[in-house]
Amino acid sequence: QSGDESVAHTTRGEKGHGFLLVVSGPSGAGKGTLVSHLLRQRPDCVFSVSATTRPRRGTEVEGREYLFLSHDEFVKRRDAGYFLEWAEVHGNLYGTPLNEVDRHVEADRVVVLDVDVQGGASVRRVRPDAVTVFVFPPSLELLRERLESRATDSPEVIEQRMHNAPGELAQWVHYDYVIMNEHLERAQAELLAVHDAEHARVHRLRVT
């Protein structure tokens, strides 16, 4: 090849090449811990704050963990097209505000959704371009231990979550990636690797 031949360079995509990163799995699988680590390590990631009708827990702050809404207000916003997706889970309503998601994606950010399995299915239906990750607990026994140790749910709610867990775990086959959350540092590294690999997708790059 001649010495003056031009060299192609790849750069990050133009504005609008952000994407949704959906982290899903049963309650107690450790989604929140993995997502928190990702947000600390990758500054292009922003957390999508979901709305919910469930009661606030412990140190949770309005607008940080969730937007806490009454049932009537949630239904009103749902009917007005406020949510990208919504679902009823364990007797409570959850939804992802659409405008904030679109705003960040258009600004070339990675919007991270921490949602249950129903929410993950809803997002896949309306946004098939979303990158989806299923967090798998190493066993049902450890899942129960995690639910009990965090001391945020009543025994009745824990039993309901455990009853639903096998059906939720069966949904892993519909996701792009699966992370076995047995060893925390390894699981954290795997989620970072998913983020980094997705940024290297050809359709997210442009040649100059």
Side-chain angles (χ1 to χ4, degrees):
Q1 297 181 355
S2 62
D4 62 351
E5 185 174 351
S6 62
V7 179
H9 297 276
T10 59
T11 62
R12 288 281 297 279
E14 296 175 341
K15 184 176 180 180
H17 284 238
F19 60 91
L20 293 182
L21 179 58
V22 179
V23 181
S24 190
S27 181
K31 303 184 298 296
T33 300
L34 297 183
V35 165
S36 294
H37 182 74
L38 174 66
L39 294 171
R40 290 193 300 269
Q41 296 298 317
R42 296 295 184 267
D44 65 317
C45 290
V46 295
F47 182 64
S48 173
V49 179
S50 297
T52 184
T53 61
R54 77 154 171 77
R56 194 178 310 182
R57 295 172 180 161
T59 60
E60 288 180 335
V61 175
E62 168 72 24
R64 186 181 67 187
E65 284 82 10
Y66 285 98
L67 302 173
F68 294 96
L69 304 177
S70 68
H71 185 276
D72 288 346
E73 179 62 22
F74 188 102
V75 171
K76 179 181 177 181
R77 296 193 187 193
R78 179 199 65 188
D79 294 345
Y82 179 79
F83 297 114
L84 168 68
E85 58 80 26
W86 72 275
E88 182 173 353
V89 184
H90 308 304
N92 295 302
L93 300 176
Y94 294 82
T96 301
L98 175 60
N99 288 345
E100 283 297 292
V101 169
D102 285 343
R103 181 173 68 85
H104 286 302
V105 169
E106 290 168 3
D108 204 19
R109 300 187 183 99
V110 177
V111 181
V112 184
L113 277 64
D114 174 355
V115 295
D116 65 286
V117 171
Q118 290 185 53
S122 297
V123 173
R124 289 198 308 273
R125 283 194 295 270
V126 298
R127 298 291 280 267
D129 58 325
V131 178
T132 58
V133 180
F134 191 93
V135 179
F136 217 102
S139 68
L140 287 175
E141 291 76 15
L142 187 55
L143 186 68
R144 179 183 290 276
E145 288 179 13
R146 289 175 177 173
L147 289 172
E148 292 174 344
S149 65
R150 69 186 190 185
T152 56
D153 297 314
S154 68
E156 292 77 17
V157 170
I158 291 175
E159 289 306 318
Q160 184 181 23
R161 294 186 187 282
M162 291 303 303
H163 175 76
N164 293 337
E168 293 175 330
L169 292 173
Q171 300 303 308
W172 69 269
V173 295
H174 302 298
Y175 286 73
D176 298 319
Y177 300 91
V178 175
I179 293 177
M180 179 65 72
N181 191 14
E182 183 173 11
H183 302 290
L184 180 58
E185 290 186 0
R186 180 185 301 171
Q188 289 173 333
E190 288 176 352
L191 185 55
L192 292 176
V194 168
H195 166 277
D196 296 347
E198 285 296 326
H199 269 311
R201 291 271 189 186
V202 170
H203 71 270
R204 302 195 209 284
L205 302 174
R206 58 191 171 100
V207 179
T208 60

